[in-house]
Structure formats: C-alpha cells, structure tokens
Amino acid sequence: MTDKFLLLDMLADGRFHSGETLGQQLGISRTAVWKVLQTYTELGLEVQAVPGRGYRLARPVELLESVILDAIDEPARVLLSALEVHRDIESTNGYLLDKVNTGVSSGFVCLAERQQAGRGRRGRHWVSPFGANLYLSVLWKFDTAPSALSGLSLAIGIAVIRALRDNGITSAGLKWPNDIVINGQKLAGILIEMTGESAGPCHVVTGVGININMPESAGRQIDQAWVDMNSLLEDENISRNRFAGKVVEYVVSTLDSFSERGLSSYMDEWNRVDVLVGRPVVLHMGNGDISGVACGIDMNGALIVDCNGKKERFDSGEVSLRAAS
Ligand code: BTN
C-alpha cells in the first residue's frame, strides 16, 4: 500500500497537479493516485478535482517540518535531545510516555499533524484534525519527587501565554489550572502526565494543544466553547512551523528552570492573566459540589477559594471546576 502521506508534500502548496505528474513522482498509477486522494477526505482535507487541470487542496497547508528547529533560540535548542514530526499518531503524549522506559533523554519533542486519540484533561478527547492546529509534547526528566512539581502545569500555562503573545495574541487568559481562554472560549489546553517513584526521579510529559485553524466539521465535535488563532488574527497567516518553534522554546525553558525557580517567578504574571479571580466558582469534588469566590493561587499552584468567608485551597488533581454565572 502506498504511503498515503506521500502526495501531500506535493499538494500542500494548494496548486493544481495532474494525476499523471503525481503518479510519476511516486511511481504509481493514476488510479492509485485517485485512491490515495480519497483517503484525504477522512483526514478532513478537501481535495478538488478539475478535468484537464488535475487535483489540488482547497486550502494550502503548511506541513510541519524540521525547520521548526530554526525558530527555537539557541539556549532552548541545546536542551533538546530529539525533535520528531509525525503525520499521524494516536497521541503525542502517549508516544512519549511509551518511550520513558526505552532510555530516551530529557528534551525529546514530538509533534504531530493529526492525533487519532488526542488526550485531554479528565479523560476527555482532544479533537486533533490533520494539518490544522498544533499538537506537541515534550519529555523531561526531573530528579525531584512528583509532589514537588505541583505548580508545573500552571507555569507551562504562562509559557504558552508568552508564545501566543509573541505571535500577536495578547488577550489570552488562564483559567485555573491551565486552560488558555479568550472571552470564555478555549484556545489551548495543557496535559501533564508523569511516571516515576514517589521519592523521585520522575519523567514528565508535557502536552500542549493549540487551536490555530480548526475546520468547522472538527469544531462541531468539541463539547465546549472554543476559538482558534486564525479567527482572532483575521488576515494574518500564522506560520505553524515558526509558531511551533516558539512554543517548544518557551515550554523547554520553563521545564529547564522549574526545579530551581518553582512557580514563584511566574506568580505575578499568573495573577495578571487569571480570568477567575474575584468570580464565583463551583468546584466538583468526588463527594459533592463546593461554591465560593476564586481568590487566586498559592505558591504550589493550588486554587484559593473564599467559601463563606473561609479561605480553602484546592489542588488541581482533586477537583474539576466551573465558573458560575
Ligand atoms: C485539555 O484538556 O485542556 C488538555 C489538552 C491537551 C492536548 C494536547 S495535544 C498534544 C498532547 N497530546 C495529547 O494527547 N494531548 C496533549
């Protein structure tokens, strides 16, 4: 069976290519070309066929390539042990977690054009259509116990906010613990998964999903309000490769400095972008709901809630949260 992704390198430019040229480049028949193109619909790509001109993608795609590395500044680049780009994967987080016991080094980065089983927080599915958004994960080894990393996911939220800001999105906020939102609509999510001994060391996989250009059909599968970068930036065309490089850069430098600095150096910025502070919230605990008013976070990344005049703290592992209206 022909690798179904081979034709994409040629079609990515959005121009017409005849069935004959496509077939010749790959050494396959025109019928085989046609069959491969049929599979693109399943990926969410629209292929147009015009008699006498050939085939083209309705929208050009900037495929992710190793040029991502060029967008990463030197101090972060030297911390990477590998950077892999996959066309199709179950989950970039799952892929790196499977690598933990194979002796790979810290700083392993995995990106994918599509995830078939993208993972969200609390067992949710992360909708990950082909060539549209950013799905990336970074594997990092910490010598500390997992409990010392309780604020890490909040610090990564700031890393993503900074990368967005560098790319013209200045109004993104954080909804505890680490949803990146604009006007109540989700723009990006972070999923941190760890394995290791309770006394350390531990391996941490930091997964980031950012909506860049969500196709309508895929958007309909998302069960919460969402937004993507393209609709916020209107005419501007985001380079997925350059943006991916910047996200990797900020995430890796946060992972590198976290053991020494913890969450403390991110607190001021967190407080500035905290969208919940002062707002009524409902926390869903295993044994019932708790209502109160969000009062920000503490140094360990726990949410502080004023419950009838008494300040209570909640760790992100034990609750799910909704902003009350
Ligand atoms: C959330 O629910 O907000 C977290 C979403 C995290 C999605 C990213 S996409 C890349 C990485 N791989 C996954 O399977 N999930 C994370």
Side-chain angles (χ1 to χ4, degrees), residues 9-320:
D9 291 331
M10 281 178 269
L11 289 169
D13 60 9
R15 293 163 194 258
F16 278 109
H17 299 266
S18 72
E20 195 174 352
T21 320
L22 293 170
Q24 272 167 2
Q25 299 268 355
L26 300 182
I28 58 174
S29 70
R30 280 160 57 183
T31 313
V33 166
W34 184 82
K35 279 192 184 146
V36 171
L37 295 180
Q38 298 299 301
T39 66
Y40 288 4
T41 314
E42 176 206 318
L43 295 176
L45 295 168
E46 191 191 334
V47 181
Q48 297 173 334
V50 175
R53 300 191 74 184
Y55 300 101
R56 73 169 179 189
L57 289 183
R59 283 199 302 195
V61 230
E62 183 193 342
L63 294 171
L64 296 172
E65 312 281 355
S66 51
V67 291
I68 291 167
L69 285 167
D70 299 342
I72 305 175
D73 72 5
E74 177 76 12
R77 202 166 53 222
V78 297
L79 297 169
L80 303 186
S81 60
L83 184 140
E84 287 185 0
V85 177
H86 294 247
R87 294 284 205 240
D88 206 5
I89 206 165
E90 291 277 301
S91 150
T92 55
N93 265 32
Y95 179 77
L96 289 186
L97 281 170
D98 287 347
K99 286 217 169 286
V100 166
N101 294 324
T102 64
V104 296
S105 319
S106 220
F108 199 115
V109 179
C110 172
L111 299 104
E113 292 289 9
R114 167 170 98 139
Q115 298 186 113
Q116 294 194 34
R119 304 179 186 175
R121 290 185 66 238
R122 311 205 143 266
R124 293 167 93 155
H125 173 61
W126 189 256
V127 175
S128 312
F130 188 92
N133 304 314
L134 210 59
Y135 323 114
L136 69 87
S137 302
V138 182
L139 173 70
W140 206 261
K141 185 178 170 213
F142 286 92
D143 291 325
T144 46
S147 56
L149 302 174
S150 56
L152 177 65
S153 78
L154 283 81
I156 296 292
I158 295 294
V160 175
I161 290 275
R162 289 177 182 170
L164 287 166
R165 208 176 282 146
D166 280 5
N167 280 269
I169 307 268
T170 53
S171 55
L174 280 164
K175 175 174 168 262
W176 183 86
N178 54 21
D179 279 358
I180 287 105
V181 294
I182 293 191
N183 296 330
Q185 297 171 307
K186 188 148 164 176
L187 176 64
I190 293 161
L191 177 67
I192 299 218
E193 298 183 86
M194 343 192 157
T195 76
E197 303 302 319
S198 55
C202 61
H203 284 93
V204 174
V205 173
T206 300
V208 180
I210 304 178
N211 299 334
I212 296 183
N213 196 13
M214 183 71 79
E216 264 179 50
S217 54
R220 281 195 290 273
Q221 296 165 34
I222 303 177
D223 58 1
Q224 56 188 319
W226 60 271
V227 67
D228 62 11
M229 289 177 74
N230 270 13
S231 55
L232 293 165
L233 294 172
E234 290 171 1
D235 290 343
E236 278 177 59
N237 227 340
I238 297 149
S239 159
R240 291 169 71 230
N241 283 296
R242 260 207 315 277
F243 180 56
K246 282 296 148 204
V247 177
V248 170
E249 178 185 308
Y250 279 112
V251 167
V252 163
S253 59
T254 299
L255 290 166
D256 182 50
S257 60
F258 193 81
S259 303
E260 258 175 51
R261 293 162 56 185
L263 190 56
S264 59
S265 59
Y266 298 91
M267 291 294 273
D268 286 350
E269 201 169 342
W270 223 98
N271 291 332
R272 280 198 299 275
V273 294
D274 183 347
V275 298
L276 287 181
V277 72
R279 288 189 59 192
V281 289
V282 180
L283 297 123
H284 306 288
M285 313 286 291
N287 50 359
D289 289 356
I290 296 180
S291 302
V293 175
C295 304
I297 56 166
D298 72 7
M299 295 292 250
N300 296 313
L303 180 72
I304 310 298
V305 180
D306 184 327
C307 303
N308 295 322
K310 190 166 173 241
K311 296 262 167 65
E312 309 263 7
R313 62 182 298 283
F314 298 93
D315 289 314
S316 61
E318 57 190 27
V319 291
S320 85

